[in-house]
Amino acid sequence: MHLTDLGRAVLIAREGRRLAAYRDSVGIWTIGIGHTSAAGPPTVTPGLRITAAECDALFARDVARYVRSVAATVPPDLADHAFDALVSLCFNIGPGAFARSSVVRRLAAGDRDGAAAAILLWNRPAELIPRRGAEYDQFRTPYALAPPRARRGDAAPIIAPGAPLSAVLPALPSARRSIPRAAATLPVRRPEPPAPTGTLARLWTALRTRLRRDA
């Protein structure tokens, strides 16, 4: 089992990318893409800075650990979208808490609806509630039906790098319907004939003057 490219992209969108150390919503020093000292070196201290390349390498190492933790505790036939959602949850709450969670217990009992509902129980601090809603939706919804969002309520879904625009269209049915209708209502503008120049312009002016005088 592995994290898909789309799962990786949505996890990065949820965690954010910071090259300078900062305190997260519960006061833990964090850097890069959700890296804390609990995940291993480097120890995150105030003033620590990393490069973009170091950030990407650190995330690749960190996320591999969480993927292994989830793969070791969930049914092997779990769909990609559901597995990706659980990696996102595990990345946020830690492998130990994930292994002991009711999400894992309900999956082991064959209760996948109950496991999805248990994702929503990890709702502290309150800032995490939109993320948990998005992880719940991701767990339950195949990517072919709707791409995931970083947080529930976000206007735009996440698509994997390099994915075609068609990958996002299932989430935008109203846009697909309205575009042809809107295009059909646009007025047709016919091109104006070019204005005469040179000798033709002088003849045209003389003709207009003659017509006005004769009238």
Side-chain angles (χ1 to χ4, degrees), residues 195-209:
T197 59
T199 301
L200 183 59
R202 290 194 295 274
L203 290 172
W204 175 245
T205 301
L207 178 59
R208 291 176 62 189
T209 302

Side-chain angles (χ1 to χ4, degrees), residues 12 36 51 62 84 109 113 144 204 214:
I12 292 172
T36 66
T51 66
D62 285 352
D84 290 351
D113 288 340
W204 175 245
D214 291 349

